[in-house]
Amino acid sequence: IRALGWAIQYHPVYSLLYFSFTFLVFCFFGGAICRCAALDFARNERPGLMESLQFAKEKYLSFLTAPLIPVGILGGISLVIFLVGFAGNLPWFGEILIALLIGILFLLGLGMTIALFAALAGGGLLFPAVAYERTTGLDAIGRAFSYVINQPVWMLFYTIVEIVLGTLFYLFIRLFVFVILRL
C-alpha cells in the first residue's frame, strides 16, 4: 500500500496510465478465468482457452462496468458533499446552506458508508456473477450485494478462508522465490 501511495505521489501520470491499463487487462482476463471456474464448478466441463476468451470478449462491457458502477456512485455522492461543503465557505449564505442540508448530508454519508462496506464485502463476487449468470454489470452488483446482505455468516466464513489460504499461498510463493533467488 505504501508503494502504491509512493507511485501515485511521485509519478501521477504514469500511475494513472499504468493502473488504468492494468484494470482493463484484469477485467478481460479475470472474466475469462471466472468463466472457466464457473463452468468447471457448475457443469464439470472444462472450456477451452479460446472459448473463455470469446466469452470475456462478449461480456467485456459487463466485466468493466461491474466494479466501476459502485465507484462511480461513491464518487458522485462524494462530489455532491464536496460541492455543498465548498459552497458552505461562502460568507453568510454558506452557513445557512449547511444548516439546511446537514441532515441530507449525514444521510448521504450513511449511504456511502453502507455502499462502501457492501462493495468491499461483495466486490469479489462481481466477476463470478457476470461469468456464471451472464448478467450485466448492474445486475451483477445487485446479486453480489444481496448475497452479502442475505448470507452474512457464510460470506464472513468464505472471507476468512480466503484470507487464510491467500496468506499461506503468498508466504509459500514468497519462500519459493526467495530460495530461487538465493540459489
Side-chain angles (χ1 to χ4, degrees):
I1 292 173
R2 285 177 36 202
L4 290 175
W6 174 87
I8 292 169
Q9 181 180 3
Y10 291 106
H11 304 286
V13 175
Y14 172 78
S15 296
L16 179 69
L17 294 173
Y18 176 76
F19 293 130
S20 297
F21 177 74
T22 303
F23 176 73
L24 296 174
V25 170
F26 176 78
C27 286
F28 182 77
F29 288 106
I33 291 169
C34 284
R35 181 64 177 174
C36 287
L39 289 178
D40 186 30
F41 178 74
R43 299 185 202 156
N44 201 19
E45 65 181 68
R46 305 214 187 328
L49 176 64
M50 296 311 292
E51 181 183 345
S52 298
L53 292 177
Q54 180 64 28
F55 177 82
K57 182 178 142 191
E58 292 171 5
K59 300 299 281 182
Y60 184 68
L61 189 60
S62 296
F63 285 122
L64 193 61
T65 57
L68 286 180
I69 290 173
V71 171
I73 291 170
L74 289 173
I77 295 172
S78 297
L79 182 64
V80 168
I81 293 173
F82 173 77
L83 291 175
V84 171
F86 188 70
N89 287 327
L90 297 173
W92 188 79
F93 174 74
E95 297 167 356
I96 295 173
L97 179 71
I98 295 294
L100 291 174
L101 297 178
I102 194 72
I104 294 171
L105 294 175
F106 281 139
L107 289 176
L108 288 174
L110 175 66
M112 283 181 62
T113 304
I114 292 170
L116 180 66
F117 281 129
L120 291 175
L125 300 174
L126 294 174
F127 282 4
V130 173
Y132 186 73
E133 299 184 8
R134 293 174 125 17
T135 61
T136 62
L138 196 57
D139 192 34
I141 293 167
R143 291 176 188 271
F145 293 173
S146 70
Y147 183 79
V148 171
I149 292 168
N150 293 332
Q151 303 287 335
V153 175
W154 280 108
M155 190 65 201
L156 182 65
F157 171 73
Y158 291 142
T159 303
I160 291 171
V161 168
E162 178 185 22
I163 289 171
V164 169
L165 290 177
T167 302
L168 291 175
F169 291 142
Y170 169 76
L171 291 174
F172 175 75
I173 290 170
R174 183 176 171 183
L175 174 68
F176 193 74
V177 170
F178 176 75
V179 171
I180 289 172
L181 291 174
R182 190 72 178 162
L183 292 177

